[in-house]
Amino acid sequence: MKSILHQSLDRTGTDSVKWDGLDRWFHLTDDVLPLWVADIDIRTAPSISEALTARAATGEFGYTLFSREAQAAVSSWYDRRHGLKVDADHVLFSSGVVPGLTHIVEALTEEGDGVVIQSPVYPPFHELVTGLKRELLDAPLRQVDGRYEMDFDALETQMQKAKLFLLCSPHNPVGRVWTESELKQVVELARRHDVILVADEIHADLTYPSQRHTALNRLDDSVITVSAPSKAFNIAGLFASYIICPDDAMRKRIIQVQNKHHVLPTPFANTAIIAAYSDSRAERWLDQLTAELEEQATYLVERFQEELPQLKTYMPEASYLLWIDFKALNLETEPRKKWLHEEVRLFLSPGHPFGESGETFERLNFGTSRAILDEALKRLTEHAGGKAFV
């Protein structure tokens, strides 16, 4: 079967944030390899493209409701893929996972309320909490035997002061797929301290074949889930996301905030969700992609261990993001960024915005062709013996 991940696709000149953003935003030349923004250098599943083409051919693009069919598609998907019964009426449209999380925090907490996160974590988690003038309560993950784990003592300490907990599952950037046992402890702590649980599960459908994702709502039916087909099917630019909120009162409050912010889907968002979650061809495509991503992750981590052992890597269990510790570089964030951009000619996501514990880290997006990854490794290896390393 033809590879999905290693197809030829030139995204330059398409107004791609990942590729064209380097020139427009950072004034970097096109010989810098962009391995940052979390989308993949692939075309989406052909069945999704077909559905979008057919929708475009109708010529009708007026204001659009979140379709019943799209809600039913989300419900069916969770039943088939995650063993979770979802009432279609509990599914709300969102124009993105970050807007969805923001609207939830705005709706269910007040200024000054505590919101728990686990750094290093996706930067918007930090930004939305502080932007809404809530108190940011961090229960940092800890490194144990080359693997990130939850610090449940720290988590309980922060939950005692919190109204809401934002869980990233699977975790961005460390790549953990939390076990059912770990998630049960989260649920127990939240119940003990009366904390609202909100799970960002946008990377769940990219869990590797060797792993098993547990939807948090399976363990507690009051959990609010925010997700999308955008990462799994590489359609982030369609802004087709959703919120699953089983609690009637909380759902009503979220809808009130969404109405204030005029949240409505585009016709293409409906079509994309239905095509991704209802067409068996798309589902088979996704199964192939997750297998290829696990193979790519294994290849990359092994190459780092063999050729760049001074850079510590963490084997991800889902998605296409590699968390790399550059501590041996002995450079602060800005000098390290300058070194990567100007000498190595790579653009990665610096670890500082993910939290204080990410200061020495960079996040690398390996959702690209093997040729580009090999070139990136070659460039890093060539500069690793230089004076920058100690």
Side-chain angles (χ1 to χ4, degrees):
M1 186 179 295
K2 184 178 180 181
S3 171
I4 297 171
L5 194 56
H6 304 307
Q7 61 183 265
S8 176
L9 179 63
D10 184 359
R11 299 182 65 194
T12 57
T14 65
D15 293 316
S16 161
V17 168
K18 182 179 178 183
W19 287 82
D20 298 321
L22 293 194
D23 175 26
R24 190 176 306 181
W25 290 348
F26 305 104
H27 310 294
L28 295 171
T29 56
D30 60 8
D31 65 326
V32 177
L33 293 179
L35 302 175
W36 60 308
V37 172
D39 63 16
I40 329 177
D41 295 329
I42 61 171
R43 297 173 178 84
T44 191
S47 54
I48 296 178
S49 295
E50 292 170 11
L52 292 169
T53 300
R55 183 65 185 83
T58 68
E60 188 277 304
F61 311 113
Y63 290 122
T64 306
L65 298 170
F66 192 32
S67 76
R68 297 291 189 189
E69 189 179 355
Q71 290 176 298
V74 173
S75 175
S76 176
W77 182 261
Y78 269 82
D79 189 9
R80 296 196 316 276
R81 302 289 291 198
H82 302 295
L84 176 64
K85 298 295 182 183
V86 172
D87 186 328
D89 289 335
H90 295 170
V91 183
L92 307 177
F93 175 77
S94 178
S95 57
V97 163
V98 174
L101 295 172
T102 304
H103 295 156
I104 291 166
V105 173
E106 182 178 347
L108 303 182
T109 65
E110 303 291 337
E111 288 189 13
D113 282 344
V115 178
V116 181
I117 65 170
Q118 294 171 303
S119 67
V121 72
Y122 186 46
F125 275 42
H126 304 255
E127 298 158 1
L128 73 89
V129 173
T130 57
L132 289 170
K133 298 181 181 179
R134 275 55 171 174
E135 182 182 5
L136 186 68
L137 302 173
D138 192 7
L141 302 176
R142 58 181 186 172
Q143 298 178 44
V144 180
D145 297 328
R147 169 186 171 96
Y148 277 91
E149 294 184 355
M150 295 189 191
D151 185 334
F152 288 103
D153 290 336
L155 186 57
E156 179 161 29
T157 297
Q158 298 294 38
M159 278 195 179
Q160 291 172 5
K161 302 176 285 183
K163 180 70 175 293
L164 185 146
F165 173 37
L166 293 176
L167 174 72
C168 194
S169 178
H171 193 278
N172 171 10
V174 309
R176 275 298 315 279
V177 173
W178 305 117
T179 65
E180 185 168 324
S181 174
E182 288 170 313
L183 295 176
K184 283 180 176 178
Q185 292 182 72
V186 169
V187 167
E188 195 278 328
L189 288 176
R191 286 174 175 167
R192 183 185 307 168
H193 299 292
D194 194 25
V195 172
I196 299 167
L197 285 177
V198 180
D200 169 4
E201 298 187 355
I202 194 170
H203 292 275
D205 290 316
L206 290 177
T207 298
Y208 298 159
S210 65
Q211 304 294 323
R212 180 178 178 272
H213 168 75
T214 300
L216 190 61
N217 192 258
R218 285 185 56 232
L219 307 180
D220 184 334
D221 60 12
S222 68
V223 168
I224 301 171
T225 303
V226 186
S227 194
S230 56
K231 299 302 182 191
F233 295 96
N234 206 40
I235 51 175
L238 294 177
F239 297 97
S241 303
Y242 52 84
I243 298 167
I244 302 172
C245 182
D247 183 273
D248 293 341
M250 289 196 288
R251 191 169 63 255
K252 182 177 179 180
R253 290 163 64 184
I254 294 167
I255 291 172
Q256 289 173 340
V257 170
Q258 288 189 317
N259 289 342
K260 182 177 74 172
H261 293 289
H262 306 284
V263 176
L264 283 174
T266 68
F268 296 104
N270 276 327
T271 300
I273 290 172
I274 295 165
Y277 286 170
S278 301
D279 193 315
S280 60
R281 295 175 296 167
E283 199 161 351
R284 290 193 297 271
W285 179 94
L286 178 60
D287 289 338
Q288 180 183 338
L289 176 62
T290 54
E292 289 188 21
L293 285 173
E294 181 166 24
E295 179 185 2
Q296 182 104 307
T298 301
Y299 170 81
L300 187 59
V301 169
E302 288 177 352
R303 288 280 306 271
F304 265 95
Q305 291 173 344
E306 292 171 5
E307 301 168 33
L308 293 160
Q310 61 271 63
L311 302 184
K312 188 174 182 179
T313 55
Y314 297 80
M315 178 65 190
E317 297 168 342
S319 203
Y320 44 81
L321 305 171
L322 185 65
W323 191 232
I324 309 169
D325 192 349
F326 279 73
K327 187 176 182 179
L329 195 64
N330 199 32
L331 289 174
E332 300 294 331
T333 296
E334 286 303 314
R336 187 174 70 245
K337 181 170 70 174
K338 181 180 175 69
W339 178 80
L340 284 166
H341 294 178
E342 298 182 4
E343 295 185 42
V344 187
R345 314 302 287 167
L346 293 182
F347 197 98
L348 310 179
S349 296
H352 172 73
F354 293 83
E356 184 178 343
S357 62
E359 287 282 355
T360 63
F361 286 77
E362 300 279 339
R363 191 191 72 178
L364 183 152
N365 177 351
F366 60 85
T368 191
S369 71
R370 186 66 58 85
I372 289 175
L373 277 187
D374 285 343
E375 176 61 25
L377 283 163
K378 176 175 176 289
R379 294 181 186 189
L380 273 173
T381 303
E382 286 175 349
H383 289 84
K387 63 181 180 180
F389 284 92
V390 294

